[in-house]
Amino acid sequence: MSSESLSLHGRARRRPADAAEPVSSLLRQRRRQAWLLVLPALLVLAAIAGWPLLRTIWFSLTNAQLADLTQSQFVGLDNYIGENGVMRDPAWWSAVANTLEFSVVSVTLETLLGLGVAILLNTPSRVRSLLRAAVLVPWAIPTIVSAKMWSWMLNDQYGVINVILQQLGLIDHPLAFIADPDLAFPTIILVDVWKTTPFMALLMLAALQMVPSDCYEAARIDGVPRWRVFRHITLPLILPGVLVAMVFRALDALRVFDLIYVMTSNSRLTKSMSIYVREQLVDFQQVGFGSASAIVLFLLISMFTLGYMVFSRRRMQGV
Amino acid sequence: MSTIQLSGVQKGFGATSVLSGVDLTIEQGEFCVFIGPSGCGKSTLLRIIAGLEDPSDGDIRIGGVRVNDLEPAKRDVAMVFQSYALYPHMTVKQNLEFGLKHQKLPAAEIDKRVAAAAESLHLTPLLDRKPGALSGGQRQRVAIGRAIVRKPKVFLFDEPLSNLDAALRVKTRVEIAKLHRELNSTSMIYVTHDQVEAMTLADKIVLLRPLAGQEHLVSIAQVGSPLELYHHPANRFVAGFIGSPSMNFIAGKVAALGDGGVVTDVAEHKLNVAVVPGALKAGDAVTLGIRPEHIELGSGSLSGEVVHVEHLGEHAYVYLNTALSNQPLVVKSARHDIELGSRLRFSLPTTSLHLFDRDDVALPRLVGKGRMAAQLMELSAGK
Ligand SMILES: Nc1ncnc2c1ncn2[C@@H]1O[C@H](COP(=O)(O)OP(=O)(O)OP(=O)(O)O)[C@@H](O)[C@H]1O
Ligand SMILES: [Mg+2]
């Protein structure tokens, strides 16, 4: 819409003065139509996202308690930068560090593995469509279910994984994958990778299939080695798609909650930002303080998103 | 050295077969054009030679070596795709270089080849652009350039001009002919469905056609030089395909056989055709053929009514309703004063007529050696 109205605008300006009048009224009419069309979406967004956000911002500036939201006083930025503010809480910063580490490691692993799976799925074979459906199963299972399933399988007393590893002779005593502070974090990341790689693989498969096949044929006739074809043709052409997939995943990972909550609900070592916020709001009944940390989480994710938007816009203009 | 030989090449996709037993030899340095109706398997044949498609049966030899199991890269061919197949994210220069970079060539040599190709194809000012910012004609030249820098033994072109406008098409056609002259030991195989391209470029034309009754199965209708196909079409399909507007066909019967050819009986008229009668017998059903440019208007024993005239400037095509057939005869004429509805006299010169038997196979023409006898016959028949 915007590019169309831009070009209309340009044309209108180039027109001689006598022709300018009808075009500009047409332009105005188009603008109005555009606004009318997005208005319902804007209203819904304002109701379901804007209003709660505003209320959360308001709460974050008060000392509200969950028990009685009406009895609250305005405390300014105390919840943020006051003596007991979220920015001064080491537990918050450890949650931030955990979340960032989780996001970076899991998104990286999922991207690499997803690309590998996508390439496998993209090579012609008879079972390809079956594989394509099968690979989606982990993604289709609700996180709560798969998290519970994995915690049972990984249990140090009755978990099947410990049994298998022991029988294979890889370990001599059962490992407490979830309870052991050194193992809990890698375990959570592995389960997340198991769950989300299919999603990444499918997004990348879509990108792979957009690469025109005649480019590959041209390279084949010219005798370009496979890895060079991948590096110089496939990768550059799927990169925009891969980036979008990574951003989607990163946004998701920064808000990670359910997996960690189910597997290691209150371990400080694996606490993410979302877990921290919920703990403040629900367990400690600190609506004001919890809202403040939720807003900080919101700002972090918005900064990430804005950064991506600026970056991708610059890329678009570069092309 | 780099003769290409196809023997008994067949190709099917799943259950449907496309090519049936193609036998063909393309000499080194030859410009060979594959032509035929759309969907008849020209691209498939080209891709089989390139190695992008495996034949279901038959052998492909390049320079005497069987290459059926050889990777495309090892066949030393370069291909210009119908869709150009440029790498969209690379500049023109990178596109030209990409096929060379992995070969162990010195950088100076690569630069030299790219610069030379860019120069000869007028691409030098465009070297830093991406394909998206080029016109169709410019993209097409990049695709040709990418083939040239490889210095292959064989060039394969798949309808390279089909996306260009008429003027650019003529210009690029001339450039391709020039390129072939410059690289005179390089063979070129060129697919097109434009017969002007075929006639003007080819040393050898390979005309493909669907087999009768089996629309999908294709075989070679005729192989020969452009003039051979024009003057001595092997069958009615070739005769009708080559030449525009296409040859006029008239159904007739054999009346008598003579030394100078065959006397045919067409709608009460006796027409002589200068061909070797072969196994023809009196009474056989035959088809006569004559090209619009060979019918002589103005005099003669035949006449027809003008039902339509197409003026092309330099000449005109006149459509005549005659007693010979229920299709109007198309006649090429230099006159521009022909009026609709008027009656014109014309003759069908004995030596310009083609004759096809009931299986649509052409009878060998006596043009040249039989001309004298044929003219005598025409004189005697005119009496
Ligand atoms: N991959 C394929 N699978 C099945 N059939 C195919 C395949 N490729 C081509 N064909 C069939 O083979 C026949 C020949 O196709 P081809 O592309 O060689 O035709 P063409 O002569 O190049 O036509 P055009 O002039 O339109 O480019 C067509 O009938 C087509 O439908
Ligand atoms: Mg084709």
Side-chain angles (χ1 to χ4, degrees):
Chain A
M1 196 73 217
S2 83
S3 79
E4 194 178 342
S5 54
L6 268 181
S7 73
L8 254 180
H9 201 81
R11 228 178 296 153
R13 242 191 281 164
R14 257 179 277 124
R15 286 277 173 86
D18 55 354
E21 185 47 39
V23 173
S24 81
S25 87
L26 180 68
L27 180 63
R28 223 176 303 138
Q29 193 188 329
R30 272 172 175 259
R31 287 233 176 99
R32 205 177 316 131
Q33 209 172 6
W35 276 110
L36 275 175
L37 285 173
V38 292
L39 193 64
L42 283 181
L43 285 178
V44 171
L45 259 182
I48 64 168
W51 172 242
L53 182 65
L54 283 178
R55 254 179 82 82
T56 312
I57 291 178
W58 166 248
F59 278 135
S60 76
L61 302 174
T62 67
N63 60 1
Q65 301 279 318
L66 193 58
D68 186 2
L69 287 177
T70 52
Q71 297 294 310
S72 63
Q73 281 147 15
F74 183 78
V75 294
L77 292 177
D78 264 7
N79 286 329
Y80 293 91
I81 48 174
E83 208 155 327
N84 299 314
V86 60
M87 303 300 268
R88 296 205 187 170
D89 183 2
W92 165 253
W93 288 113
S94 120
V96 170
N98 283 342
T99 312
L100 289 181
E101 192 184 338
F102 172 83
S103 305
V104 170
V105 177
S106 67
V107 173
T108 309
L109 284 177
E110 284 153 17
T111 305
L112 294 178
L113 281 175
L115 192 56
V117 173
I119 289 170
L120 284 182
L121 284 181
N122 197 34
T123 50
S125 91
R126 243 170 256 175
V127 287
R128 179 161 70 172
S129 46
L130 189 74
L131 277 181
R132 232 181 260 177
V135 95
L136 261 185
V137 167
W139 179 248
I141 299 175
T143 313
I144 307 286
V145 175
S146 56
K148 208 72 212 162
M149 189 175 86
W150 276 101
S151 358
W152 287 333
M153 292 202 303
L154 290 165
N155 190 288
D156 50 343
Q157 323 228 320
Y158 49 80
V160 65
I161 291 185
N162 269 314
V163 174
I164 293 175
L165 289 179
Q166 268 178 302
Q167 277 174 358
L168 286 176
L170 293 174
I171 50 175
D172 43 19
H173 58 90
L175 294 176
F177 286 103
I178 290 161
D180 185 328
D182 289 337
L183 286 179
F185 204 66
T187 303
I188 284 174
I189 287 179
L190 281 183
V191 174
D192 190 69
V193 167
W194 172 84
K195 178 177 165 51
T196 318
T197 298
F199 170 73
M200 292 294 267
L202 277 204
L203 285 185
M204 289 185 196
L205 183 61
L208 278 176
Q209 288 179 338
M210 295 290 287
V211 181
S213 65
D214 56 5
C215 282
Y216 291 129
E217 291 187 336
R220 216 175 128 203
I221 288 192
D222 289 350
V224 183
R226 274 174 180 230
W227 64 268
R228 254 186 83 82
V229 172
F230 180 75
R231 164 76 189 74
H232 292 281
I233 298 176
T234 312
L235 213 51
L237 287 178
I238 64 170
L239 198 63
V242 172
L243 276 181
V244 170
M246 285 177 74
V247 167
F248 270 104
R249 259 318 290 156
L251 287 178
D252 238 16
L254 286 173
R255 292 175 300 148
V256 62
F257 176 77
D258 39 10
L259 184 65
I260 298 182
Y261 186 72
V262 172
M263 290 187 71
T264 60
S265 41
N266 42 22
S267 157
R268 193 175 122 75
L269 284 166
T270 58
K271 200 175 285 175
S272 72
M273 294 193 278
S274 299
I275 301 254
Y276 177 94
V277 171
R278 193 209 76 94
E279 191 179 61
Q280 297 298 334
L281 275 169
V282 181
D283 293 350
F284 305 156
Q285 311 252 318
Q286 301 285 357
V287 172
F289 185 88
S291 298
S293 46
I295 292 298
V296 177
L297 170 59
F298 167 73
L299 289 178
L300 274 175
I301 291 181
S302 326
M303 266 160 50
F304 179 82
T305 314
L306 277 177
Y308 168 73
M309 278 164 66
V310 169
F311 172 75
S312 65
R313 185 157 301 179
R314 200 165 296 157
R315 264 180 63 94
M316 294 286 273
Q317 282 163 351
V319 169
Chain B
M1 202 176 86
S2 60
T3 308
I4 299 168
Q5 278 172 298
L6 307 182
S7 42
V9 169
Q10 300 189 2
K11 176 70 186 173
F13 293 103
T16 53
S17 26
V18 175
L19 294 174
S20 76
V22 172
D23 295 302
L24 183 64
T25 304
I26 299 159
E27 305 293 342
Q28 177 180 3
E30 204 164 40
F31 199 118
C32 176
V33 172
F34 293 172
I35 187 170
S38 187
C40 75
K42 307 179 294 288
S43 300
T44 307
L45 193 54
L46 196 71
R47 290 166 59 83
I48 289 176
I49 295 174
L52 293 174
E53 213 83 68
D54 292 325
S56 321
D57 198 10
D59 285 344
I60 303 139
R61 285 167 212 281
I62 300 183
V65 183
R66 188 170 176 276
V67 295
N68 282 38
D69 305 317
L70 217 56
E71 265 293 294
K74 303 246 167 65
R75 301 186 183 194
D76 205 4
V77 300
M79 183 153 167
V80 178
F81 289 79
Q82 191 163 358
S83 56
Y84 309 143
L86 300 180
Y87 308 119
H89 57 294
M90 297 187 194
T91 63
V92 170
K93 186 160 189 288
Q94 289 166 335
N95 262 287
L96 293 177
E97 289 170 343
F98 190 66
L100 299 175
K101 277 278 168 84
H102 63 279
Q103 299 176 2
K104 296 197 169 36
L105 285 173
E109 169 69 14
I110 294 182
D111 286 347
K112 206 178 91 193
R113 286 197 199 177
V114 169
E119 195 55 47
S120 74
L121 293 165
H122 311 291
L123 290 171
T124 314
L126 308 174
L127 281 177
D128 293 324
R129 294 224 204 141
K130 292 202 174 147
L134 298 179
S135 75
Q138 291 165 336
R139 281 179 214 181
Q140 199 263 327
R141 296 210 300 271
V142 178
I144 294 181
R146 205 169 59 179
I148 292 179
V149 295
R150 293 263 324 281
K151 301 202 171 176
K153 281 195 288 196
V154 183
F155 271 102
L156 307 172
F157 292 95
D158 193 353
E159 305 202 22
L161 309 188
S162 56
N163 295 346
L164 306 187
D165 70 45
L168 201 54
R169 207 181 263 220
V170 174
K171 214 174 125 214
T172 321
R173 199 171 75 207
V174 174
E175 278 172 23
I176 290 178
K178 198 172 123 229
L179 180 71
H180 180 236
R181 270 200 304 280
E182 285 165 8
L183 310 168
N184 55 6
S185 67
T186 313
S187 318
M188 296 196 173
I189 304 180
Y190 187 104
V191 169
T192 181
H193 53 232
D194 180 322
Q195 54 165 300
V196 179
E197 275 171 36
M199 296 296 282
T200 52
L201 289 171
D203 296 321
K204 176 186 275 178
I205 293 183
V206 176
L207 180 50
L208 298 170
R209 70 136 165 197
L211 284 182
Q214 290 163 286
E215 273 75 51
H216 294 298
L217 206 52
V218 165
S219 67
I220 293 182
Q222 190 173 357
V223 179
S225 73
L227 290 182
E228 258 171 66
L229 265 68
Y230 180 80
H231 289 300
H232 300 283
N235 51 51
R236 191 175 154 176
F237 176 83
V238 179
F241 194 90
I242 301 286
S244 164
S246 68
M247 187 182 275
N248 297 294
F249 293 109
I250 306 161
K253 266 197 170 60
V254 177
L257 306 175
D259 252 3
V262 177
V263 184
T264 58
D265 198 354
V266 182
E268 319 282 288
H269 294 273
K270 294 268 184 286
L271 295 173
N272 297 303
V273 187
V275 294
V276 181
L280 278 188
K281 302 185 302 292
D284 279 355
V286 287
T287 307
L288 287 83
I290 185 147
R291 297 196 181 278
E293 51 270 41
H294 294 150
I295 298 179
E296 287 173 4
L297 272 189
S299 63
S301 54
L302 303 162
S303 72
E305 185 193 349
V306 179
V307 289
H308 183 59
V309 183
E310 288 176 339
H311 290 287
L312 273 81
E314 178 206 348
H315 55 258
Y317 293 118
V318 183
Y319 290 69
L320 288 180
N321 260 353
T322 67
L324 297 176
S325 79
N326 40 21
Q327 291 289 319
L329 286 188
V330 184
V331 183
K332 184 177 170 184
S333 165
R335 283 170 53 189
H336 287 282
D337 54 354
I338 295 171
E339 289 186 12
L340 276 185
S342 61
R343 280 198 88 76
L344 294 179
R345 302 196 76 75
F346 65 91
S347 63
L348 306 177
T350 303
T351 48
S352 301
L353 278 167
H354 300 248
L355 195 65
F356 307 94
D357 67 15
R358 60 146 51 91
D359 298 324
D360 287 338
V361 176
L363 295 150
R365 296 175 67 207
L366 288 169
V367 181
K369 57 180 182 201
R371 178 166 293 160
M372 288 278 277
Q375 274 167 353
L376 280 175
M377 275 186 69
E378 191 178 27
L379 279 176
S380 59
K383 264 188 237 159

